[in-house]
């Protein structure tokens, strides 16, 4: 009797992960490149609304400055305050929709499902109340943690000042005198203390960002409530924030390079405008604005795609999301030997 071996097809790769940090950057770049119209179109909605709102606000400010030339600056601000408040609220709501639309579009493209800009935004708009609640609660938590940081730093600075004051008083010297600079050692210590506080502030801010970065993906993918989405984000990212740290540190580095390139050009444009240099400066200003819009849109889209990839990667690693469990056939029962005497043999037909 020949033995037949059942050949099984190799398992399909999981489109959701797992991925390494380098694969995360490569995959996010590829998704953005291959679906540039989709992701850029989503972000362009937000940028277009910001440009329109900025134009309306600038035109209103110009009209108020002309019509209320003799009024105090505070009065002009009070006239513009309602429009600024309404615009800020609408932009905040739109930002939540855009964040959700980027996640929905990324999720669709991971499984090669067709989706448009309008469909992504409509699906995100259906959950806008939950997204707004998440953003507001995250903002309150972030402010609370930062207040604790400021209080701790203030207490530390006060303790250090009292210590130096006590040592100086015991030594009969005055570390600070009106009209005199502190000693070189004291100045270096203050600079080092401020530098350490700034670095610690950046670390705290990065920790807070990665702690809550997955809240909106969780709310959209798993349908959880506001508080449950935040807890779920903390749980998923806990102990596995390496990719999120790499993502936001890389984005921070890109922003630094971007600022190093654009800030000198902005100063040139402002200086030329003050000198009434004419159309050349105006054209340079328009090109600079277009360049900033393009780069900002690409960065926002990349963050949205990469955050979605990090969310799915963590679910794959911690929960096996997207894997298909292949049921194993139970082994046939082993016949006992010798066979019981009351069992029929193969020579006797079964009734």
């Amino acid at each position: 009797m020949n033995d037949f071996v059942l050949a099984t097809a190799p398992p399909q790769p999981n489109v959701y992960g797992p991925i390494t940090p380098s694969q995360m950057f490569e995959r996010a770049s590829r998704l953005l490149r291959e679906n540039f119209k989709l992701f850029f179109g989503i972000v362009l909605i937000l940028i277009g609304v910001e440009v329109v709102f900025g134009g309306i606000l600038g035109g209103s400010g110009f009209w108020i400055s002309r019509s209320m030339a003799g009024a105090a600056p505070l009065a002009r601000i009070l006239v513009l305050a309602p429009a600024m408040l309404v615009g800020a609220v609408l932009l905040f709501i739109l930002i939540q929709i855009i964040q959700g639309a980027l996640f929905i579009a990324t999720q669709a493209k991971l499984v090669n499902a067709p989706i448009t800009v309008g469909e992504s935004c409509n699906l995100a708009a259906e959950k806008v109340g939950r997204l707004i609640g998440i953003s507001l609660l995250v903002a309150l938590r972030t402010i609370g943690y930062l207040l604790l940081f400021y209080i701790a730093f203030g207490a530390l600075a006060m303790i250090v000042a009292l210590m130096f004051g006590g040592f100086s008083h015991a030594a009969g010297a005055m570390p600070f005198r009106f009209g005199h600079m502190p000693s070189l050692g004291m100045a270096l210590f203050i600079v080092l203390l401020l530098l350490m506080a700034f670095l610690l502030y950046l670390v705290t801010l990065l920790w807070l960002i990665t702690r809550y970065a997955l809240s909106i993906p969780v709310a959209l993918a798993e349908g959880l409530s506001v508080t449950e989405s935040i807890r779920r984000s903390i749980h998923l990212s806990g102990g596995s924030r390496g990719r999120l740290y790499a993502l936001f540190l890389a984005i921070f580095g890109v922003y630094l390079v971007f600022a190093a390139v654009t800030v000198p050009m902005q100063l040139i444009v402002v200086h030329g405008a003050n000198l009434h240099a004419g159309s050349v400066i105006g054209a340079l200003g328009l090109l600079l604005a277009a360049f900033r819009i393009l780069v900002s849109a690409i960065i926002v889209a990349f963050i949205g795609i990469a955050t979605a990839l990090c969310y799915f990667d963590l679910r794959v690693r911690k929960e096996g999301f997207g894997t298909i469990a292949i049921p194993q056939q139970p082994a046939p029962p082993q016949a006992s030997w010798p066979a019981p005497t009351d069992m029929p043999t193969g020579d006797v037909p079964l009734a």
Side-chain angles (χ1 to χ4, degrees):
M1 182 177 179
N2 295 329
D3 294 331
F4 294 94
V5 178
L6 180 62
T8 58
Q12 296 294 325
N14 190 350
V15 297
Y16 299 107
I19 54 176
T20 63
S22 60
Q23 289 173 338
M24 182 264 294
F25 284 106
E26 187 275 333
R27 197 170 189 183
S29 302
R30 179 168 52 83
L31 284 173
L32 179 59
R33 184 176 62 253
E34 295 177 353
N35 306 277
F36 186 78
K37 291 183 179 179
L38 172 63
F39 293 109
F40 187 76
I42 293 173
V43 180
L44 196 60
I45 296 175
L46 176 61
I47 294 176
V49 173
E50 288 181 343
V51 171
V52 172
F53 174 68
I56 294 174
L57 196 62
S60 300
F62 178 76
W63 176 78
I64 290 174
S65 64
R66 296 293 298 270
S67 60
M68 301 176 62
L74 181 60
R76 302 177 188 175
I77 295 175
L78 291 177
V79 172
L80 283 176
M84 295 173 62
L85 180 61
V86 172
V89 171
L90 293 177
L91 284 176
F92 176 76
I93 295 173
L94 184 59
I95 288 172
Q96 313 315 312
I97 296 175
I98 296 304
Q99 289 183 12
L102 288 173
F103 173 78
I104 292 172
T106 304
Q107 186 180 25
K109 289 305 174 182
L110 284 176
V111 294
N112 295 322
I115 195 168
T116 63
V117 174
E119 291 171 348
S120 301
C121 294
N122 288 334
L123 291 173
E126 294 176 359
K127 308 292 184 181
V128 67
R130 190 175 303 171
L131 302 183
I132 291 173
I134 290 173
S135 296
L136 290 176
L137 187 55
V138 167
L140 289 176
R141 289 190 174 202
T142 302
I143 292 172
Y145 277 110
L146 292 181
L147 284 177
L148 290 176
F149 174 83
Y150 296 143
I151 292 172
F153 176 73
L156 178 62
M158 184 176 296
I159 292 173
V160 171
L162 291 175
M163 289 176 57
F164 272 97
F167 293 152
S168 300
H169 179 73
M174 294 181 62
F176 298 100
R177 290 181 295 173
F178 293 105
H180 295 275
M181 294 293 293
S183 63
L184 180 60
M186 179 68 70
L188 289 176
F189 179 80
I190 293 174
V191 171
L192 289 176
L193 183 63
L194 293 176
L195 181 60
M196 291 178 60
F198 179 70
L199 293 177
L200 185 59
Y201 174 80
L202 292 180
V203 171
T204 303
L205 193 60
L206 180 63
W207 175 75
L208 290 173
I209 292 173
T210 56
R211 179 181 173 88
Y212 303 120
L214 305 179
S215 300
I216 287 180
V218 165
L220 293 173
E222 305 178 35
L224 301 180
S225 65
V226 172
T227 55
E228 290 174 343
S229 298
I230 294 176
R231 294 193 192 101
R232 175 76 166 150
S233 174
I234 297 172
H235 171 72
L236 277 178
S237 60
S240 303
R241 299 195 177 108
R243 287 154 189 78
L244 292 170
Y245 286 141
L247 169 63
F248 289 104
L249 285 174
I251 295 300
F252 179 71
V254 171
Y255 268 116
L256 287 180
V257 175
F258 180 61
V261 173
T262 57
V263 169
M265 298 177 65
Q266 288 177 335
L267 295 176
I268 294 174
V269 171
V270 172
H271 182 68
N274 292 332
L275 296 178
H276 306 286
S279 58
V280 176
I281 294 298
L284 181 60
L286 290 176
L287 290 175
L288 180 60
F291 175 71
R292 292 182 60 188
I293 290 173
L294 177 62
V295 174
S296 299
I298 293 175
I299 291 175
V300 171
F302 185 87
I303 292 175
I305 298 171
T307 303
L309 294 179
C310 290
Y311 163 75
F312 287 117
D313 173 71
L314 289 175
R315 288 200 64 184
V316 170
R317 292 176 180 274
K318 294 190 173 184
E319 302 170 351
F321 179 77
T323 58
I324 301 176
I326 301 176
Q328 297 182 356
Q329 297 294 332
Q334 299 293 332
S336 59
W337 184 267
T341 58
D342 58 347
M343 293 292 292
T345 63
D347 298 332
V348 180
L350 297 176

